[in-house]
Amino acid sequence: MAQFSSSKAQDALVEDLLAQKAASRIHKKDASLYNFSHSAEISAQNFMGWTDLASCPPYSLDEIKDLADELISEGLERVVLIGEGGSSQAAMTLSKVFSQENSDIRFSTLDSLSPLYMHRIMADIDIEKAVIIVSSKSGTTLETSSMARIIWDFASSVLGEERAAKRFIVITDPNTRMHKLALERGYRAVFLGEPSVGGRFSALSVFGLVPAALIGMDIHKLIENAARMEERCSQDNADNPGLQLAAFLFANVSIESAHAFSYLSPQPGRVLGLWIEQLVAESLGKNGKGIVPQIAIDPKLLNPPYPVRPVLLHTMEYCCSPMYDCDLLDASVPCARFCIEGAYDLGAYFVMWEYAVAMLGYLLGVDPFNQPDVAEAKTNSSRALHGLLPYEAKALKEDWLIAEASDYFYGQEFESLDEILDMMFESTREGDWVSINAFLPFTGDRRAPLENIRYTMAKHLALPVCLEIGPRYLHSTGQLHKGGPNTGIFFTLSASEDDDILVPGESHSLSDIMIAQSKGDLYTLSQRGRRAIHLHLENNHPETLIKLADAFERAAQRSSTKAK
């Protein structure tokens, strides 16, 4: 299943983890492993319910299966999941990979606030043959609640409230606002999460299993595979794949690698990378420490003279590509190789990564179960939404966008897009990494310009470059951005939207929330001394994004020329 390149540093880390009996202590929920900090130990006491979800599930798999069988027998054709972060990533991963095999049921995830996506969903869905899953551990997630209101109004207008309620399923923790609303409306089903399982560790809880069952997956088989991996990952021996993965990553990330690793996989395996990204970034990016996951970059940019960083290569049994082969990597590049034989392997991968990240928390000396910097960004976004946040966007010479920079650049003047990009690029140094945080639709003709921006910057700046889609990343890598090492450079992008949608019962729209989140995120990054800018475009049309990509390419080329 896994092959790791080795080193003396890795071997020493393996010995340390074995001496501490880290694997078995994690499985036993022994919070004293994290006694390097009183708060970390208390957090571990409260949030280690994930360690035996596969072997001792705290819910009935048969109950989930029976509901899925009932809906499928009634002619279910479409599942739409509304959720963010840990409430949607595992389900999105399972559905994407399983759809390549034999699922006849279409699955869509609504984790973007772009009205473009919402209009598309409502235009092509037959609500009588669909199920809407509203998924939120807290039951108060702003994006999830807002989109759920819109879909509820749409479904009710077509079917009436009583019939519409039977097309909705809620997954949330006990006694949340969402739980109570579902009971009041008489939704088809409510599945309650386990409070001791944090969102990013909830892949094998009801948050992952209910959507999987609804698209036709055999969740008993999924859990059986996961349980076998749980048994392996709980053992204090050198063959433990979770332990080996933790040692491989910790030994090979460094200042020179920008504390980053690269995840490579052909489609559809890249979606697993998004789940891994959240798990790693949100669990470990805090207290000035962290590991930066870089998902799906051109393998040619991973060999010298580009900075060497560890590579995790995930191949698919039924999707081979010569682009994703360790043989293409220079011998100096540390490489771990994994082979995913199919969707039912994913349960095992979830377990392996969860155990590895829990061990990395121990090695880094950080609490892997909290997210201390997420709440501040949410608060600032709310303040921006209600006009309570300072915002000093500046008109540029280009009439199709405005810009604002973080306080790191206080006193530096810029009049054009070229000037503000040059200012950002001139601030880069060895050991930095870049994140493009795009509150933009990542689909169709809009996708290529954003990918081009990432590729251009990685090529010319020779830094790890991540492309993040908002608001998803706020529930994923956002913790790392604010709490990790101050080596990140952040480009936040947003745009005015066509055909905006007002949130029922509110005075704001979906686009208003997105713009507020982009402003709130910049403000939070600025408060943390980060190098960041926010570019707001007049629209998100492909032509506008191409102009933006061209400007990034020119700036990256100028920076590369100066460096030489």
Side-chain angles (χ1 to χ4, degrees), residues 531-545:
R531 290 162 285 171
I533 61 171
H534 173 209
L535 303 176
H536 180 74
L537 316 180
E538 66 177 355
N539 59 59
N540 59 28
H541 299 168
E543 299 79 11
T544 302
L545 298 182

Side-chain angles (χ1 to χ4, degrees), residues 230-541:
E230 182 188 302
E231 171 66 20
R232 294 180 65 191
C233 287
S234 65
Q235 299 299 308
D236 295 312
N237 63 55
D239 294 327
N240 180 329
L243 186 148
Q244 287 285 349
L245 176 55
F248 171 80
L249 284 173
F250 193 81
N252 289 297
V253 295
S254 62
I255 294 175
E256 291 74 20
S257 73
H259 303 283
F261 71 87
S262 293
Y263 172 97
L264 294 180
S265 175
Q267 289 285 17
R270 291 181 193 176
V271 71
L272 174 61
L274 297 178
W275 179 84
I276 291 170
E277 177 185 60
Q278 182 200 8
L279 181 70
V280 172
E282 196 168 42
S283 297
L284 306 177
K286 57 201 70 168
N287 303 337
K289 303 175 183 180
I291 295 177
V292 179
Q294 182 192 33
I295 308 304
I297 193 69
D298 187 333
K300 295 190 292 294
L301 301 181
L302 299 175
N303 290 325
Y306 295 97
V308 171
R309 51 190 176 273
V311 172
L312 300 174
L313 178 67
H314 288 68
T315 57
M316 308 292 292
E317 182 73 14
Y318 51 85
C319 184
C320 298
S321 170
M323 279 190 65
Y324 300 97
D325 194 310
C326 281
D327 293 340
L328 295 177
L329 298 173
D330 187 85
S332 64
V333 178
C335 182
R337 181 167 188 163
F338 307 86
C339 181
I340 303 171
E341 295 183 1
Y344 291 103
D345 268 9
L346 292 173
Y349 275 91
F350 291 152
V351 171
M352 178 184 71
W353 272 97
E354 287 168 351
Y355 270 81
V357 165
M359 291 185 219
L360 282 165
Y362 158 74
L363 292 171
L364 278 168
V366 300
D367 175 2
F369 309 117
N370 71 350
Q371 46 282 334
D373 302 290
V374 170
E376 183 181 353
K378 289 181 179 179
T379 298
N380 286 331
S381 295
S382 178
R383 291 174 64 199
L385 185 62
H386 295 94
L388 301 176
L389 197 67
Y391 182 59
E392 300 175 358
K394 181 175 182 177
L396 303 179
K397 289 180 180 178
E398 299 85 356
D399 62 2
W400 48 276
L401 80 168
I402 56 177
E404 184 180 20
S406 68
D407 288 346
Y408 179 92
F409 299 104
Y410 180 77
Q412 298 191 43
E413 296 295 326
F414 52 88
E415 301 294 334
S416 68
L417 179 57
D418 283 350
E419 290 177 1
I420 194 172
L421 292 180
D422 287 345
M423 180 183 77
M424 286 287 281
F425 291 167
E426 287 169 5
S427 75
T428 62
R429 50 186 178 256
E430 184 180 356
D432 283 344
W433 60 286
V434 177
S435 186
I436 305 157
N437 301 330
F439 288 84
L440 300 166
F442 192 54
T443 184
D445 293 341
R446 294 170 173 84
R447 184 177 186 132
L450 295 175
E451 291 280 17
N452 288 342
I453 291 173
R454 175 169 68 159
Y455 176 81
T456 293
M457 294 176 72
K459 177 181 178 182
H460 292 289
L461 301 182
L463 300 175
V465 181
C466 305
L467 175 56
E468 306 294 343
I469 303 302
R472 178 196 299 158
Y473 80 87
L474 295 175
H475 304 266
S476 175
T477 55
Q479 169 61 45
L480 171 69
H481 297 176
K482 288 90 175 176
N486 194 359
T487 52
I489 301 171
F490 304 99
F491 296 83
T492 300
L493 311 176
S494 63
S496 299
E497 292 267 356
D498 299 330
D499 301 320
D500 203 0
I501 302 175
L502 195 67
V503 178
E506 302 289 349
S507 59
H508 55 255
S509 66
L510 292 181
S511 183
D512 290 336
I513 298 173
M514 276 200 300
I515 295 171
Q517 288 178 322
S518 62
K519 294 176 183 177
D521 199 44
L522 176 72
Y523 187 81
T524 308
L525 291 168
S526 183
Q527 294 293 101
R528 301 301 173 89
R530 280 11 183 188
R531 290 162 285 171
I533 61 171
H534 173 209
L535 303 176
H536 180 74
L537 316 180
E538 66 177 355
N539 59 59
N540 59 28
H541 299 168

Side-chain angles (χ1 to χ4, degrees), residues 5 22 28 44 47 63-64 71 100 124 163 195 202 228 291 300 342 350 414 420 446 467 484 488 518 552:
S5 58
K28 294 173 184 175
F47 293 107
E63 180 183 341
I64 298 171
L71 284 163
Q100 305 297 308
D124 74 356
R163 290 176 61 209
S202 66
R228 285 192 287 270
I291 295 177
K300 295 190 292 294
F350 291 152
F414 52 88
I420 194 172
R446 294 170 173 84
L467 175 56
S518 62
F552 268 87

Side-chain angles (χ1 to χ4, degrees), residues 145-157:
S145 299
S146 299
M147 290 186 285
R149 288 189 195 182
I150 293 169
I151 293 292
W152 169 256
D153 272 18
F154 165 73
S156 297
S157 69

